[in-house]
């Protein structure tokens, strides 16, 4: 009898061990699988069971949370939603998250382990931290100036502090109110359908996710490559540049929108944007040097994050001389985001150094303790410092004597470059108007702001002056907002 009792006890012990092993397997090994299962609503209920942390602009929250009393209790709210949508993105119970709401979701939702008072505390206690805060680098006045300047036209503005890479403004229009996507009601689904069906594409972040032919603003890159390579050594020496210019290996002739471009000096060609001079300059400099300089400015970088991902700007790696000539004036397959062109202008203002652009200054706990400070990081040396000084001189000339006079600010040194990017079949589309610039206050050691503006539906002629007429005043307003601020 004792033997049967021992066997029964051993069998029960084995069953107990099997139960413990299975419980361990379910709760530890397979926990992630069950947590992520769409049928498991516990995670969503917990996620929306407390207020989401706020995104901050100059110490003020531009987001909030509203208690609905429903199962997914707290819905995201936005202050000046259309103004800050390219920065915040949306946080929706139905459609997920985008931009900072997505990139900083762990902080905002309270799931980041760094928010816990002690290491592994949440794993042991199963507690949930209050959502943390994301402090952005955005200047409210600059953001408002950019948004008002675009006035609802299709376009975008990016502004950067050259010495740090801090993004001071990031605007895309037409915009939308992210709060329309908060909650689970039928109106949310209707808003989603309407926003996605709109021909204006209001949810497209044109500042960082849309690339455009940069037109003559790319001549800054071409000039940097030519000066660094020694293709041209004197800003005021005549260039051997015919007008019109026959593209190498073709019978196609390239012309100019202005007079005086035949054998023009680099200074005159830059101030008045002579296509023939820069097309020949790019072809003479060669693909290797042009491509290397473009890469150093940030082109062809598919890994750039601010922390939201940024669409890669393009400069082709394999071209014949005719294609290279067109690419050197920002046409052919050359494409750039407004943020990329702001980086080009910032590099000139910063002695040739490209700082990593970033939108987040720091993240903190709910009560203000710093979790992570972004800091400043250099990406590349785009050009020699001496070349950057020459380009600052050229860009200043554009504003003082050339096509960019609409960006001039009293008692401030302003450098700029206008651009008109032709597109469509046989260039039939309305040109995109571009303007890139930087500004330096009198008495300050270096420029405080660099800006890029693109206006898609600019009612302008095809000359580079359209960039000065449509986009330059917007850049001026943004620069003034930064210079007048703290």
């Amino acid at each position: 009898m004792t033997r049967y009792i021992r066997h029964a006890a051993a069998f029960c012990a084995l069953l107990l061990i099997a139960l413990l092993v299975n419980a361990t397997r379910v709760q530890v090994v397979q926990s992630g699988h069950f947590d992520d299962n769409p049928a498991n609503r516990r995670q969503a209920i917990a996620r929306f069971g407390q207020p989401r942390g706020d995104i901050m602009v100059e110490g003020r929250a531009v987001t909030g949370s509203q208690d609905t009393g429903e199962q997914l209790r707290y819905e995201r709210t936005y202050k000046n939603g259309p103004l800050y949508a390219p920065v915040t993105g949306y946080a929706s119970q139905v459609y997920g998250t985008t931009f900072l709401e997505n990139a900083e979701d762990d902080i905002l939702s309270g799931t980041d382990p760094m928010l816990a008072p002690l290491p592994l505390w949440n794993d042991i206690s199963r507690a949930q931290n209050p959502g943390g805060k994301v402090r952005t680098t955005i200047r409210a006045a600059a953001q408002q100036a950019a948004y008002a300047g675009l006035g609802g036209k299709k376009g975008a503005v990016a502004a950067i502090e050259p010495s740090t890479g801090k993004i001071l403004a990031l605007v895309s229009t037409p915009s939308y109110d992210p709060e329309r996507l908060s909650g689970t009601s039928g109106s949310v689904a209707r808003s989603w359908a309407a926003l996605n069906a709109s021909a204006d594409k209001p949810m497209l972040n044109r500042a960082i996710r849309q690339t455009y032919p940069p037109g003559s603003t790319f001549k800054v890159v071409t000039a940097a490559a030519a000066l660094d390579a020694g293709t041209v050594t004197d800003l005021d020496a005549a260039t051997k540049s015919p007008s019109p210019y026959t593209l190498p290996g073709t019978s196609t002739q390239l012309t100019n929108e202005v007079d005086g471009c035949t054998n023009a000096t680099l200074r005159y060609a830059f101030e008045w944007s002579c296509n023939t001079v820069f097309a020949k300059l790019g072809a003479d400099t060669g693909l290797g040097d042009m491509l290397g300089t473009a890469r150093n400015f940030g082109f062809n970088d598919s890994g750039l994050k601010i922390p939201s991902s940024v669409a890669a700007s393009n400069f082709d790696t394999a071209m014949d001389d005719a294609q290279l000539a067109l690419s050197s004036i920002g046409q052919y397959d050359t494409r750039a985001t407004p943020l990329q062109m702001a980086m080009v202008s910032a590099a000139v203002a910063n002695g040739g150094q490209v700082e990593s652009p970033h939108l987040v200054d720091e993240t903190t706990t709910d009560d203000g303790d710093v979790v992570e400070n972004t800091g400043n990081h250099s990406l590349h040396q785009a050009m020699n410092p001496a070349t950057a000084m020459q380009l600052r001189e050229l860009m200043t000339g554009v504003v003082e004597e050339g096509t960019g006079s609409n960006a001039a600010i009293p008692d401030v040194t302003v450098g700029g470059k206008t651009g008109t990017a032709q597109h469509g079949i046989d260039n039939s589309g309305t040109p995109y108007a571009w303007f890139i610039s930087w500004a330096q206050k009198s008495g300050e050691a270096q420029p405080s702001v660099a800006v890029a503006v693109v206006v898609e539906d600019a009612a302008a002629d095809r000359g580079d002056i359209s960039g000065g007429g449509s986009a330059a005043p917007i850049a001026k307003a943004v620069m003034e907002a930064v210079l007048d601020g703290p």
Side-chain angles (χ1 to χ4, degrees):
M1 187 69 177
T2 304
R3 180 165 62 91
Y4 292 120
I5 293 174
R6 285 201 304 269
H7 289 170
F11 181 68
C12 290
L14 285 173
L15 290 177
L16 180 60
I17 292 170
L19 285 172
L20 291 174
V21 169
N22 188 58
T24 302
R25 179 181 64 86
V26 170
Q27 295 184 20
V28 178
V29 178
Q30 293 188 321
S31 61
H33 168 74
F34 290 112
D35 281 342
D36 297 334
N37 191 307
N40 181 9
R41 288 181 57 81
R42 289 180 179 273
Q43 202 168 34
I45 292 169
R47 176 185 179 85
F48 296 104
Q50 66 176 20
R52 192 168 171 83
D54 283 321
I55 297 172
M56 316 290 288
V57 172
E58 293 187 324
R60 296 182 180 179
V62 296
T63 58
S65 294
Q66 178 181 354
D67 189 350
T68 65
E70 298 177 359
Q71 189 178 52
L72 302 182
R73 183 171 174 180
Y74 286 92
E75 293 180 3
R76 194 58 147 165
T77 61
Y78 295 88
K79 302 169 186 175
N80 295 321
L83 174 64
Y84 290 109
V87 176
T88 63
Y90 59 78
S92 169
Q93 283 96 329
V94 180
Y95 300 109
T97 55
T98 57
F99 302 123
L100 280 187
E101 293 277 27
N102 175 264
E104 299 293 351
D105 182 64
D106 288 350
I107 289 288
L108 296 169
S109 64
T111 59
D112 193 313
M114 295 298 293
L115 295 172
L118 295 170
L120 303 178
W121 174 258
N122 289 355
D123 293 334
I124 298 171
S125 66
R126 307 299 291 176
Q128 186 171 358
N129 303 306
K133 296 178 181 178
V134 175
R135 300 185 184 277
T136 71
T137 57
I138 293 292
R139 297 276 190 89
Q143 187 82 358
Q144 290 162 357
Y147 188 78
L150 285 168
K153 296 189 181 89
K154 289 182 183 178
V157 177
I160 296 175
E161 186 174 64
S163 61
T164 64
K166 291 181 179 181
I167 297 174
L168 307 179
L170 197 71
V171 171
S172 174
T173 57
S175 189
Y176 72 105
D177 189 352
E179 195 167 325
R180 294 174 62 186
L181 302 178
S182 296
T184 58
S185 66
S187 64
V188 172
R190 290 190 294 272
S191 293
W192 176 261
L195 289 169
N196 280 284
S198 173
D200 288 337
K201 297 182 179 179
M203 290 197 295
L204 172 63
N205 190 333
R206 291 172 167 87
I208 62 171
R209 294 284 175 86
Q210 179 68 40
T211 60
Y212 302 88
S216 291
T217 57
F218 191 80
K219 291 170 183 174
V220 174
V221 179
T222 302
L227 288 165
D228 271 357
T231 309
V232 60
T233 57
D234 187 344
L235 302 184
D236 296 303
T239 58
K240 296 178 181 179
S241 307
S243 180
Y245 169 59
T246 303
L247 296 176
T250 76
S251 59
T252 303
Q253 290 191 327
L254 187 67
T255 59
N256 298 293
E257 299 289 339
V258 295
D259 297 326
C261 291
T262 302
N263 298 326
T265 66
L266 184 60
R267 188 185 303 277
Y268 183 92
F270 194 90
E271 289 177 0
W272 295 100
S273 213
C274 296
N275 286 334
T276 53
V277 174
F278 279 91
K280 185 175 185 298
L281 203 59
D284 290 346
T285 299
L287 179 60
D289 286 323
M290 284 294 300
L291 178 58
T293 300
R295 280 175 169 163
N296 286 339
F297 273 106
F299 283 79
N300 299 341
D301 182 358
S302 60
L304 183 63
K305 295 181 183 295
I306 61 170
S308 305
S309 60
V310 179
S313 298
N314 179 70
F315 188 82
D316 277 3
T317 59
M319 293 181 278
D320 61 30
D321 286 345
Q323 294 164 340
L324 176 59
L326 290 175
S327 295
S328 300
I329 59 171
Q331 298 288 169
Y332 186 55
D333 285 340
T334 304
R335 309 275 300 187
T337 62
L339 178 64
Q340 173 61 70
M341 295 314 297
M343 291 166 63
V344 168
S345 186
V348 174
N350 194 42
Q353 187 73 36
V354 180
E355 298 296 318
S356 179
H358 56 279
L359 193 52
V360 175
D361 203 359
E362 63 182 15
T363 55
T364 73
T365 62
D366 181 54
D367 54 9
D369 294 333
V370 174
V371 174
E372 184 178 9
N373 192 305
T374 302
N376 309 322
H377 307 282
S378 296
L379 285 180
H380 305 284
Q381 184 71 33
M383 67 196 111
N384 291 324
T387 298
M389 290 301 296
Q390 288 176 298
L391 277 168
R392 285 180 63 168
E393 188 179 334
L394 292 177
M395 291 182 74
T396 302
V398 169
V399 175
E400 294 180 352
E401 301 177 14
T403 58
S405 58
N406 283 338
I409 301 173
D411 301 320
V412 175
T413 301
V414 178
K417 184 71 192 79
T418 54
T420 303
Q422 299 175 358
H423 67 103
I425 299 173
D426 295 326
N427 295 328
S428 59
T430 303
Y432 298 141
W434 278 93
F435 192 73
I436 64 173
S437 60
W438 49 264
Q440 180 176 356
K441 265 186 177 180
S442 177
E444 292 193 349
Q446 56 190 354
S448 304
V449 58
V451 182
V453 178
V454 64
V455 182
E456 288 190 29
D457 49 1
D461 60 41
R462 294 181 183 276
D464 288 283
I465 252 176
S466 67
S470 301
I474 302 172
K476 176 183 178 179
V478 174
M479 292 187 291
E480 287 181 320
V482 174
L483 295 173
D484 291 342

